């Protein structure tokens, strides 16, 4: 196209509708890209040729190669951590320090912070490790699941050494927001402005300490737990998330975890990852490589697994990251098509006269939070919207870290609050809690953090 046109809005609308309807972000992005190519030229041969050329161009992108290596290696490391059962050992150690309901929930909160590397690992490990501890003090499974969910995505968002940071950092590079190799650094600059994540962690801590009391559905669940009753867990197998494959993969890994793991087998690799990444000047790829080079011999020396078993576990971990990798590739293809349709220019030309730098972060947070909540795909929605939002932010001369913080806040809200998001399902699964009961009891607290975040974006801007 030679001139920006309203037709360029059709592919994003197709993606959003399909993402909400199908809850399959990769398929939605691919169909959206094809719809854009049809607008450019409806000839079937031209569409196939264009899609082929764009796909090859994307796969040759250095950022895509980096993301595949880093996300895959994260999955490999997580696979090893799960198999050793080291994180689950935390629950056994926590029994020594718990004296009542508050201290048991606080220990779950601390474990959630320690497992910052990935929200899937976090959600399953914390719930599975702590539910017997909290049961001892008659804390409802719903309250435990809320603590678990509040320290899954929100904590991972706030740490620049997590799978979230790797994924979003790569997208920032691809969209020209960060220079090559600077995605994590730009991401880190926005961490102070990820208001929902900060507030979500603060709210759950206040709930644990009793400053914010249990109310609404959560109060009912707590009263039932005190009487020794609970809502029937049932099966969550019929609930489909946007990343079913990854959810089932990580659950399968937990089934084969060693029942009597050692805590140091979890903590040592985590500390190595942090130390090596800082040593290599926040180069997370070098940090991961060095960590794996030490962790594999470390486990082999203890005879936890044979080398063959470790490689199998690493491949299984890599596979759990395939949905994230697939979403990135599909998002890059979609962005290329949107650029050819001149979508960023159309959005800028249409909204510049009505939008102000002060309103943009708050509006971005609300609109993206609604979309993330509706689709259950925090990563997919970010991939679709960043090519639209960021050019607009630059044209308005808005605070770029604040806008990135608003986008990530919306993603974290969607991951935690959506009834069928992967994080919500895994938090309920790990805590042994009914899915809908968990979703309904935690929603009022998530909304408190969301409302405060909205006000915060207005005030800071």
């Amino acid at each position: 196209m030679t001139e920006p046109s309203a037709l360029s809005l059709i592919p994003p609308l197709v993606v959003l509708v399909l993402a909400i309807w199908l809850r399959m972000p990769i398929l939605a992005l691919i169909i959206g890209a094809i719809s854009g190519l049809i607008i450019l030229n409806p000839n079937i041969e031209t569409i196939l040729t264009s899609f082929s050329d764009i796909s090859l161009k994307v796969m040759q992108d250095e950022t895509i190669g980096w993301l595949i290596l880093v996300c895959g290696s994260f999955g490999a490391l997580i696979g090893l951590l799960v198999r050793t059962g080291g994180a689950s050992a935390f629950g056994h150690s926590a029994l020594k320090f718990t004296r009542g309901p508050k201290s048991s929930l606080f220990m779950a909160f601390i474990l959630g912070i320690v497992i910052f590397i990935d929200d899937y690992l976090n959600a399953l490990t914390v719930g599975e490790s702590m539910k017997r501890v909290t049961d001892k003090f008659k804390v409802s499974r719903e309250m435990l699941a809320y603590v678990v969910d509040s320290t899954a995505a929100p904590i991972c968002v706030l740490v620049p050494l997590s799978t979230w940071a790797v994924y979003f950092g790569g997208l920032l590079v691809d969209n020209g927001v960060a220079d090559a190799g600077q995605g994590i650094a730009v991401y880190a600059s926005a961490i102070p402005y990820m208001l929902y994540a900060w507030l979500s962690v603060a709210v759950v801590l206040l709930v644990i300490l009793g400053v914010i009391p249990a109310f609404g559905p959560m109060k009912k669940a707590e009263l039932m737990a005190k009487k020794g009753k609970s809502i029937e867990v049932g099966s969550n197998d019929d609930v489909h998330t946007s990343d079913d494959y990854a959810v089932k993969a990580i659950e399968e890994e937990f089934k084969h975890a060693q029942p009597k793991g050692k805590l140091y087998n979890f903590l040592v690799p985590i500390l190595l990852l942090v130390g090596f990444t800082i040593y290599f000047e926040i180069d997370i790829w070098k940090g991961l490589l060095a960590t794996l080079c030490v962790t594999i011999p470390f486990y082999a020396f203890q005879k936890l697994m044979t080398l063959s078993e470790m490689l199998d576990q690493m491949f299984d971990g890599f596979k759990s990251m395939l949905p994230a990798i697939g979403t990135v590739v599909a998002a890059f293809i979609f962005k290329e098509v949107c650029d050819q349709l001149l979508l960023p220019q159309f959005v800028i030309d249409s909204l510049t006269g009505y939008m102000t730098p002060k309103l943009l972060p708050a509006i971005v947070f609300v609109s993206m939070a609604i979309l993330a909540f509706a689709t259950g795909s925090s990563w997919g929605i970010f991939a679709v919207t960043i090519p639209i939002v960021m050019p607009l932010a630059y044209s308005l001369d808005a605070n770029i870290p604040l806008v990135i913080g608003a986008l990530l806040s919306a993603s974290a809200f969607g991951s935690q609050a959506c009834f069928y998001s992967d994080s919500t399902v895994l938090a309920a699964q790990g805590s042994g809690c009914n899915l809908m009961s968990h979703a309904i009891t935690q929603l009022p607290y998530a909304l408190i953090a969301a409302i405060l975040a909205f006000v915060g974006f207005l005030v800071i801007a």
Side-chain angles (χ1 to χ4, degrees):
M1 297 180 73
T2 56
E3 293 292 332
S5 164
L7 290 174
S8 62
L9 293 174
I10 293 176
L13 289 174
V14 168
V15 172
L16 294 176
V17 170
L18 290 177
I20 294 171
W21 179 32
L22 301 174
R23 282 184 268 171
M24 299 172 68
I26 298 175
L27 181 60
L29 286 163
I30 294 298
I31 294 176
I34 292 172
S35 70
L37 293 174
I38 292 172
I39 294 171
L40 288 168
N41 191 327
N43 181 275
I44 294 178
E45 186 177 345
T46 304
I47 292 170
L48 289 172
T49 302
S50 298
F51 189 85
S52 174
D53 292 342
I54 291 172
S55 301
L56 286 171
K57 179 184 176 183
V58 165
M59 292 309 296
Q60 292 168 2
D61 191 299
E62 183 180 343
T63 303
I64 282 288
W66 181 85
L67 275 168
I68 291 173
L69 289 171
V70 174
C71 281
S73 297
F74 254 120
L77 180 61
I78 289 167
L80 291 174
L81 292 175
V82 170
R83 179 64 182 270
T84 63
S88 300
F90 187 95
H92 302 297
S93 304
L95 276 170
K96 303 173 184 177
F97 303 98
T98 51
R99 297 290 181 270
K102 288 184 181 180
S103 58
S104 65
L105 287 172
F106 186 71
M107 291 304 294
F109 176 81
I110 294 298
L111 180 56
I113 292 175
V114 170
I115 308 178
F116 59 79
I117 189 172
D118 179 68
D119 55 333
Y120 285 8
L121 177 67
N122 186 311
L124 278 176
T125 301
V126 180
E128 192 66 42
S129 302
M130 295 301 300
K131 62 187 177 187
R132 292 168 189 79
V133 180
T134 53
D135 283 352
K136 179 182 177 182
F137 298 104
K138 294 186 177 181
V139 175
S140 69
R141 292 283 179 90
E142 287 80 3
M143 180 63 81
L144 174 61
Y146 164 57
V147 174
V148 170
D149 221 349
S150 297
T151 54
I155 290 295
C156 292
V157 164
L158 295 174
V159 179
L161 303 178
S162 67
T163 49
W164 279 66
V166 171
Y167 175 85
F168 290 116
L171 288 179
L172 293 174
V173 171
D174 181 64
N175 286 274
V177 182
D179 295 330
Q182 294 298 309
I184 300 294
V186 173
Y187 180 96
S189 71
I191 289 176
Y193 303 108
M194 296 175 190
L195 301 187
Y196 176 79
W198 288 111
L199 289 165
S200 178
V201 173
V203 168
V204 74
L205 183 57
L206 292 175
V207 170
I208 291 170
L209 296 175
V211 177
I212 297 178
F215 63 92
M218 186 67 82
K219 184 176 182 179
K220 180 182 177 182
E222 284 290 278
L223 290 173
M224 288 179 67
K226 293 289 187 293
K227 296 176 182 177
K229 300 177 183 178
S230 63
I231 298 172
E232 187 178 347
V233 175
S235 174
N236 297 329
D237 292 341
D238 58 340
V239 179
H240 296 285
T241 74
S242 60
D243 287 319
D244 271 348
Y245 181 87
V247 170
K248 290 174 182 176
I250 193 74
E251 286 176 344
E252 192 64 28
E253 288 178 28
F254 265 83
K255 289 179 183 177
H256 297 96
Q258 294 182 11
K260 295 182 179 180
K262 303 294 184 182
L263 185 58
Y264 58 76
N265 283 326
F266 176 80
L267 292 179
V268 169
I270 293 292
L271 292 173
L272 286 173
L273 177 63
V274 174
F276 281 132
T277 302
I278 294 172
Y279 176 78
F280 290 116
E281 299 178 345
I282 316 300
D283 188 327
I284 200 162
W285 172 227
K286 289 181 181 177
L288 273 167
L289 277 177
T291 301
L292 287 169
C293 286
V294 175
T295 300
I296 292 172
F298 178 61
Y299 287 168
F301 179 76
Q302 300 177 66
K303 297 181 179 179
L304 296 175
M305 293 171 270
T306 65
L307 183 59
S308 175
E309 288 174 332
M310 276 193 272
L311 288 174
D312 287 343
Q313 197 67 27
M314 290 169 70
F315 277 121
D316 288 341
F318 190 103
K319 286 190 290 186
S320 71
M321 289 295 170
L322 286 178
I325 293 170
T327 302
V328 174
V329 172
F332 278 36
I333 293 171
F334 179 73
K335 176 193 173 292
E336 286 290 330
V337 175
C338 288
D339 286 348
Q340 292 184 22
L341 288 167
L342 305 180
L343 174 62
Q345 290 90 324
F346 176 76
V347 172
I348 290 169
D349 293 345
S350 302
L351 296 181
T352 301
Y354 305 98
M355 192 69 67
T356 67
K358 292 185 178 181
L359 282 177
L360 183 63
I363 291 175
V364 165
F365 171 68
V366 171
S367 56
M368 294 304 104
I370 292 171
L371 286 173
F373 181 85
T375 62
S377 175
S378 305
W379 288 21
I381 289 301
F382 190 93
V384 176
T385 55
I386 188 173
I388 303 171
V389 171
M390 296 315 299
L392 180 60
Y394 278 112
S395 71
L396 293 172
D397 196 25
N399 184 327
I400 299 302
L402 185 60
V403 174
I404 296 172
L407 282 167
L408 267 297
S409 291
S411 291
F413 172 79
S415 178
Q416 180 181 3
C418 178
F419 288 15
Y420 44 81
S421 75
D422 41 16
S423 180
T424 301
V425 170
L426 289 176
Q429 196 92 359
S431 303
C433 174
N434 178 276
L435 175 61
M436 291 308 297
S437 180
H438 163 49
I440 291 169
T441 52
Q442 81 161 350
L443 184 60
Y445 299 101
L447 289 174
I448 290 173
I451 292 168
L452 291 174
F454 174 73
V455 174
F457 283 120
L458 287 174
V459 171
I460 293 175

Short mmCIF file of all heavy atoms in Angstrom, two decimals, residues 335-355:
data_model
loop_
_atom_site.label_atom_id
_atom_site.label_comp_id
_atom_site.label_asym_id
_atom_site.label_seq_id
_atom_site.Cartn_x
_atom_site.Cartn_y
_atom_site.Cartn_z
N LYS A 335 3.76 -8.78 12.20
CA LYS A 335 4.26 -7.41 12.21
C LYS A 335 4.74 -6.99 10.82
O LYS A 335 4.51 -5.85 10.39
CB LYS A 335 5.40 -7.27 13.22
CG LYS A 335 6.03 -5.88 13.22
CD LYS A 335 7.32 -5.85 13.96
CE LYS A 335 8.01 -4.49 13.80
NZ LYS A 335 8.47 -4.27 12.41
N GLU A 336 5.44 -7.89 10.13
CA GLU A 336 5.93 -7.56 8.78
C GLU A 336 4.76 -7.22 7.86
O GLU A 336 4.84 -6.27 7.07
CB GLU A 336 6.71 -8.75 8.22
CG GLU A 336 8.09 -8.95 8.84
CD GLU A 336 9.07 -7.86 8.46
OE1 GLU A 336 8.95 -7.31 7.35
OE2 GLU A 336 9.95 -7.54 9.28
N VAL A 337 3.68 -7.98 7.95
CA VAL A 337 2.50 -7.72 7.12
C VAL A 337 1.88 -6.37 7.49
O VAL A 337 1.50 -5.58 6.61
CB VAL A 337 1.48 -8.86 7.25
CG1 VAL A 337 0.19 -8.53 6.49
CG2 VAL A 337 2.06 -10.17 6.75
N CYS A 338 1.78 -6.11 8.80
CA CYS A 338 1.20 -4.83 9.25
C CYS A 338 2.04 -3.64 8.78
O CYS A 338 1.50 -2.59 8.44
CB CYS A 338 1.09 -4.81 10.78
SG CYS A 338 -0.21 -5.88 11.41
N ASP A 339 3.36 -3.81 8.76
CA ASP A 339 4.23 -2.74 8.26
C ASP A 339 3.97 -2.48 6.78
O ASP A 339 3.96 -1.32 6.33
CB ASP A 339 5.70 -3.12 8.47
CG ASP A 339 6.13 -3.01 9.93
OD1 ASP A 339 5.36 -2.42 10.72
OD2 ASP A 339 7.21 -3.52 10.28
N GLN A 340 3.76 -3.54 6.00
CA GLN A 340 3.46 -3.37 4.58
C GLN A 340 2.12 -2.68 4.37
O GLN A 340 1.92 -1.97 3.38
CB GLN A 340 3.47 -4.72 3.87
CG GLN A 340 4.86 -5.36 3.78
CD GLN A 340 4.86 -6.66 2.99
OE1 GLN A 340 3.96 -6.90 2.19
NE2 GLN A 340 5.86 -7.50 3.23
N LEU A 341 1.20 -2.89 5.30
CA LEU A 341 -0.12 -2.24 5.23
C LEU A 341 -0.09 -0.81 5.78
O LEU A 341 -1.12 -0.12 5.75
CB LEU A 341 -1.15 -3.06 6.03
CG LEU A 341 -1.59 -4.39 5.42
CD1 LEU A 341 -2.35 -5.22 6.45
CD2 LEU A 341 -2.46 -4.15 4.20
N LEU A 342 1.06 -0.39 6.28
CA LEU A 342 1.24 0.96 6.87
C LEU A 342 0.33 1.17 8.08
O LEU A 342 -0.18 2.27 8.31
CB LEU A 342 0.99 2.04 5.82
CG LEU A 342 1.83 1.94 4.53
CD1 LEU A 342 1.46 3.08 3.58
CD2 LEU A 342 3.31 1.98 4.85
N LEU A 343 0.10 0.09 8.86
CA LEU A 343 -0.76 0.19 10.04
C LEU A 343 -0.26 1.21 11.06
O LEU A 343 -1.05 2.04 11.55
CB LEU A 343 -0.90 -1.18 10.69
CG LEU A 343 -1.65 -1.23 12.02
CD1 LEU A 343 -3.09 -0.78 11.85
CD2 LEU A 343 -1.60 -2.63 12.62
N PRO A 344 1.05 1.20 11.44
CA PRO A 344 1.50 2.19 12.43
C PRO A 344 1.24 3.62 12.00
O PRO A 344 0.79 4.44 12.81
CB PRO A 344 3.01 1.91 12.54
CG PRO A 344 3.16 0.49 12.11
CD PRO A 344 2.13 0.29 11.04
N GLN A 345 1.48 3.93 10.73
CA GLN A 345 1.26 5.29 10.24
C GLN A 345 -0.22 5.68 10.32
O GLN A 345 -0.56 6.80 10.69
CB GLN A 345 1.74 5.43 8.78
CG GLN A 345 3.25 5.37 8.64
CD GLN A 345 3.75 3.95 8.42
OE1 GLN A 345 3.20 3.01 8.99
NE2 GLN A 345 4.78 3.79 7.62
N PHE A 346 -1.11 4.72 10.00
CA PHE A 346 -2.54 5.02 10.05
C PHE A 346 -2.99 5.31 11.49
O PHE A 346 -3.75 6.26 11.73
CB PHE A 346 -3.36 3.85 9.49
CG PHE A 346 -4.84 4.05 9.59
CD1 PHE A 346 -5.50 4.91 8.70
CD2 PHE A 346 -5.59 3.43 10.58
CE1 PHE A 346 -6.87 5.12 8.80
CE2 PHE A 346 -6.96 3.64 10.69
CZ PHE A 346 -7.60 4.48 9.79
N VAL A 347 -2.53 4.49 12.43
CA VAL A 347 -2.90 4.69 13.83
C VAL A 347 -2.40 6.04 14.33
O VAL A 347 -3.12 6.78 15.01
CB VAL A 347 -2.35 3.55 14.71
CG1 VAL A 347 -2.56 3.85 16.19
CG2 VAL A 347 -3.01 2.23 14.33
N ILE A 348 -1.14 6.37 13.97
CA ILE A 348 -0.56 7.65 14.40
C ILE A 348 -1.35 8.82 13.82
O ILE A 348 -1.72 9.76 14.53
CB ILE A 348 0.92 7.73 13.96
CG1 ILE A 348 1.76 6.74 14.78
CG2 ILE A 348 1.46 9.15 14.15
CD1 ILE A 348 3.16 6.55 14.25
N ASP A 349 -1.62 8.76 12.53
CA ASP A 349 -2.36 9.84 11.86
C ASP A 349 -3.76 10.00 12.44
O ASP A 349 -4.28 11.12 12.55
CB ASP A 349 -2.46 9.57 10.35
CG ASP A 349 -1.11 9.63 9.66
OD1 ASP A 349 -0.16 10.16 10.27
OD2 ASP A 349 -1.01 9.14 8.52
N SER A 350 -4.39 8.88 12.82
CA SER A 350 -5.78 8.92 13.28
C SER A 350 -5.93 9.36 14.73
O SER A 350 -6.91 10.01 15.09
CB SER A 350 -6.42 7.52 13.12
OG SER A 350 -6.37 7.09 11.79
N LEU A 351 -4.96 9.01 15.57
CA LEU A 351 -5.13 9.24 17.02
C LEU A 351 -4.31 10.38 17.59
O LEU A 351 -4.57 10.83 18.71
CB LEU A 351 -4.80 7.95 17.78
CG LEU A 351 -5.71 6.75 17.51
CD1 LEU A 351 -5.26 5.57 18.36
CD2 LEU A 351 -7.17 7.08 17.81
N THR A 352 -3.30 10.84 16.86
CA THR A 352 -2.41 11.87 17.41
C THR A 352 -3.18 13.11 17.87
O THR A 352 -2.87 13.71 18.90
CB THR A 352 -1.34 12.28 16.37
OG1 THR A 352 -0.59 11.13 16.03
CG2 THR A 352 -0.41 13.33 16.95
N GLY A 353 -4.21 13.47 17.12
CA GLY A 353 -4.97 14.68 17.46
C GLY A 353 -5.86 14.53 18.68
O GLY A 353 -6.30 15.53 19.25
N TYR A 354 -6.15 13.28 19.09
CA TYR A 354 -7.08 13.04 20.19
C TYR A 354 -6.40 12.53 21.46
O TYR A 354 -6.94 12.69 22.55
CB TYR A 354 -8.14 12.02 19.76
CG TYR A 354 -8.88 12.40 18.50
CD1 TYR A 354 -8.50 11.87 17.27
CD2 TYR A 354 -9.94 13.29 18.53
CE1 TYR A 354 -9.17 12.21 16.10
CE2 TYR A 354 -10.60 13.65 17.37
CZ TYR A 354 -10.22 13.11 16.15
OH TYR A 354 -10.88 13.46 15.01
N MET A 355 -5.24 11.94 21.30
CA MET A 355 -4.54 11.33 22.44
C MET A 355 -3.49 12.29 22.98
O MET A 355 -2.91 13.08 22.25
CB MET A 355 -3.87 10.03 21.99
CG MET A 355 -3.37 9.17 23.14
SD MET A 355 -4.71 8.47 24.12
CE MET A 355 -5.43 7.33 22.93
#
